[in-house]
Every structure is written in structure tokens, then in C-alpha cells.
Amino acid sequence: MTVVGPFGLSVRDQALEADVQAGLTAVEEGLLEATKSEVPFITEAAQHLVRAGGKRFRPLLVMLAAQFGDPYAPGVVPSAVGVELTHLATLYHDDVMDEAEVRRGVESANVRWGNSVAVLTGDFLFARASQILADLGPEVVRIQAEAFERLVTGQILETAGPTDGRDPVDHYLDVLGGKTGSLVAVSCRFGAMTSGADETVVDVLTQYGERLGVAFQLADDVLDIASDSHESGKTPGTDLREGISTLPVLRLRERAARLGLAEDIALCELLDSDLTDDARHAEALAALRAHPALEQARRDTVRYAEEARSALAPLPDCDAKLALVEMCDAVVHRAG
């Protein structure tokens, strides 16, 4: 058994492993080429996060989805490069909005060069992604544009919050569908499309990617509460400290409103306080780790991962399908 990609995903078939590894290597080369500019400073800024590494989760999905057609088709690698560049562009913008100081273990672009350069670099990356995808035809460009619209809409909805009377959990899941699910779905769609897979296969893999993307983000929500820094690679409770209500917190608030238990209400009040205080933050983190709301968020993660797995049922059995199924298992494993 060998290992490819994020989460220690195992690929048992040597031919599939070789295809995927070759594809990811070509994507890496394509990312570096696509982020070059005649202006050295732009190259430095644009390659900042490329060289910092990352899971390359979306390119991996492109490569696996392409196995249902011709994985060597000329559009497969460029589509993966375009998707990853689009994702990278959103990271530059996210870090400005979140005032983040670190991304992928390195100083964020906004800290190093300021917000204006970070925003413009994100725009540059999106422009380069559009150029690459334009060579694959108008349908590919339209799909990217629709996904980017969904992504931005999700970000705006997150910023605006739920409207009066809207269930906050439903609102949050819609946000994740836009912010994360849309581009993961496009990764699977592009891989299948550019490989020449049947339209029914393209539709199945798109549905799979949508659900997997949401499950992936929900697993991150659980990890932010449940893991230690060694396990997750980041400081636990980061979202709590920044006042971001992820799914475990929303499930807590939902339970407090429904049952009216004093301990739930007290924990909500603690979460609403200033959690930049280390002692208060530690108390809130410990209480959430022991609360049923965290287990409910785990169940939500498993549900989306199982929906992703179920979506694959119409596909023929093969090593690529097995790898996609294991991706669902890996997401659930991350959530504990």
C-alpha cells in the first residue's frame, strides 16, 4: 500500500498511483509557470503561497476524477492548475479579511506586503487561472465563473449573517456549500469533463465533490475544537478566539435555545465574552470539548461524508472509485 495526497490517502494500484503522482507533479510545475511575471515583485508575491506548499486537495480530485475518462487528455492538468490558482486567489483575499498573520506555516502576504498587495495578488492569480481555463473552451470558463460567484456569495452571506427567522445552522451549511463545496465540486467536474468521461459520470462526480467539500470544512470545524496543535498543525480554538461561530458553537446555541439548560446558557455567555484572554479561552475550549454539541457536529460531518460516498454508487467499481471512497473515510477520521 502506498500513499498519495492529503490525509495519507492510500492508493493500492501502482498504475493509478503513477498517474496521480505524475499529474500532481505536472500541476506543481504548472503552478510555478503560471505565477511568473515580467515584474519580479509580482512573481515573488504570486509564488509566495505556491512555494509554501499545501494539500493540493483540489488537484488530487481532478486527477482521480480524470480516471473515469482519459487521464492523459491534454486538458486535465491545466484544469487542475486553474482550480488551484482560483483557490490560492481566495486565500490571499481571506487573509486580508481575517487579518491573518500566518498561512501554511509562513508569513501571510498581507503581513509581509500589506493588504493592497495581497488583494491585487489574489486578483492576479484569478486572472491567470481564467487565462489557462479559457484555452479549454467557453464551457469551462462559464463553470469557473459560476463557481467563483457561488464562492463569493458564500463569503458575503457569512459576513452578513442569517436573515431574521433563518435557522443559523441551515445558513451556515449554505455558506459552506458556496465557500468550499463549490470549488471542490468543480475540481471533480473538470477532471471528468476534460478526460472525456460520460455526462452521467460528470454529474455523479460533481455531486460527490459538493458534499465532500462541505464534509471537509465541517471536519475542520471539529478539529479546531477537538484536536491539539500537534495533531492539527494549528493552534486549537483559533475560531473561538476570533469570535467565529463554526458548527459546534452553532449546535450549542441551538441546544441552549431549545432546552434552556443553565449550563448551556452559561457556556454561550462565556463564548460571547472576550476570548482573547488566555484563561477564559482555555475554559471555553475545555467546556466545548466535553459538550454534546461537539458530538453533534461530528455526526453532521459523517452525514455529509456518507452522502458523498453514496453519490459514487452509480460509478463502476475501480481503483479510482475506491480512492474517492477512502477520501470520505479520511474526512470522517479527521473529525474523530
Side-chain angles (χ1 to χ4, degrees):
M1 183 182 297
T2 52
V3 173
V4 173
F7 330 128
L9 176 66
S10 61
V11 175
R12 294 176 173 82
D13 181 77
Q14 290 185 349
L16 174 59
E17 181 200 359
D19 281 351
V20 171
Q21 292 285 20
L24 292 176
T25 298
V27 168
E28 212 64 32
E29 294 169 355
L31 289 171
L32 290 173
E33 186 62 32
T35 47
K36 288 179 181 176
S37 167
E38 294 179 356
V39 181
F41 176 65
I42 295 177
T43 302
E44 181 185 5
Q47 292 186 351
H48 181 61
L49 288 185
V50 174
R51 294 187 180 280
K55 297 184 182 72
R56 303 293 188 250
F57 178 46
R58 291 154 190 83
L60 173 61
L61 288 171
V62 174
M63 297 304 142
L64 290 174
Q67 293 291 322
F68 295 90
D70 175 10
Y72 311 112
V76 173
V77 169
S79 73
V81 172
V83 167
E84 187 68 5
L85 285 174
T86 303
H87 172 58
L88 288 169
T90 67
L91 298 185
Y92 281 80
H93 291 167
D94 283 352
D95 286 347
V96 171
M97 293 181 63
D98 299 340
E99 299 179 352
E101 297 182 357
V102 176
R103 168 71 71 174
R104 295 181 172 176
V106 299
E107 191 177 39
S108 63
N110 45 296
V111 167
R112 178 168 294 192
W113 295 294
N115 286 345
S116 295
V117 168
V119 169
L120 291 170
T121 301
D123 294 344
F124 174 83
L125 292 174
F126 185 69
R128 284 292 173 89
S130 299
Q131 288 177 24
I132 291 168
L133 296 176
D135 289 337
L136 304 181
E139 178 70 1
V140 171
V141 174
R142 182 185 65 79
I143 291 168
Q144 184 216 23
E146 289 175 350
F148 199 65
E149 178 185 353
R150 284 190 62 203
L151 197 155
V152 173
T153 299
Q155 185 67 67
I156 292 171
L157 288 175
E158 181 180 53
T159 303
T163 55
D164 289 342
R166 181 82 199 280
D167 177 30
V169 171
D170 288 344
H171 171 84
Y172 183 68
L173 292 173
D174 281 349
V175 165
L176 296 192
K179 282 186 60 180
T180 306
S182 60
L183 206 53
V184 175
V186 164
S187 302
C188 295
R189 188 172 183 179
F190 278 176
M193 276 182 62
T194 57
S195 71
D198 291 342
E199 190 60 39
T200 53
V201 172
V202 175
D203 289 343
V204 163
L205 288 168
T206 302
Q207 294 172 30
Y208 163 83
E210 181 86 22
R211 289 159 177 77
L212 183 71
V214 175
F216 179 77
Q217 186 56 57
L218 292 178
D220 268 1
D221 288 358
V222 171
L223 277 172
D224 186 63
I225 303 298
S227 69
D228 58 35
S229 56
H230 174 73
E231 181 183 358
S232 67
K234 66 178 186 178
T235 304
T238 298
D239 292 331
L240 279 185
R241 193 182 293 276
E242 295 175 356
I244 298 171
S245 291
T246 57
L247 192 62
V249 173
L250 292 174
R251 286 302 189 192
L252 164 67
R253 296 188 191 282
E254 177 186 65
R255 175 187 161 103
R258 186 177 74 252
L259 300 180
L261 298 177
E263 57 267 31
D264 292 348
I265 294 171
L267 181 51
C268 288
E269 291 173 350
L270 176 61
L271 294 177
D272 290 334
S273 66
D274 180 12
L275 294 185
T276 59
D277 177 80
D278 288 343
R280 198 176 289 122
H281 176 265
E283 180 185 355
L285 188 60
L288 258 183
R289 283 173 172 170
H291 197 277
L294 182 62
E295 186 55 38
Q296 176 62 56
R298 281 197 179 98
R299 289 197 295 270
D300 292 324
T301 305
V302 171
R303 174 167 57 88
Y304 271 91
E306 287 301 321
E307 287 178 3
R309 180 204 296 267
S310 297
L312 294 171
L315 297 181
D317 290 335
C318 61
D319 287 303
K321 179 179 178 179
L322 179 60
L324 292 173
V325 167
E326 288 191 355
M327 195 83 81
C328 302
D329 296 337
V331 167
V332 171
H333 178 73
R334 290 174 73 235

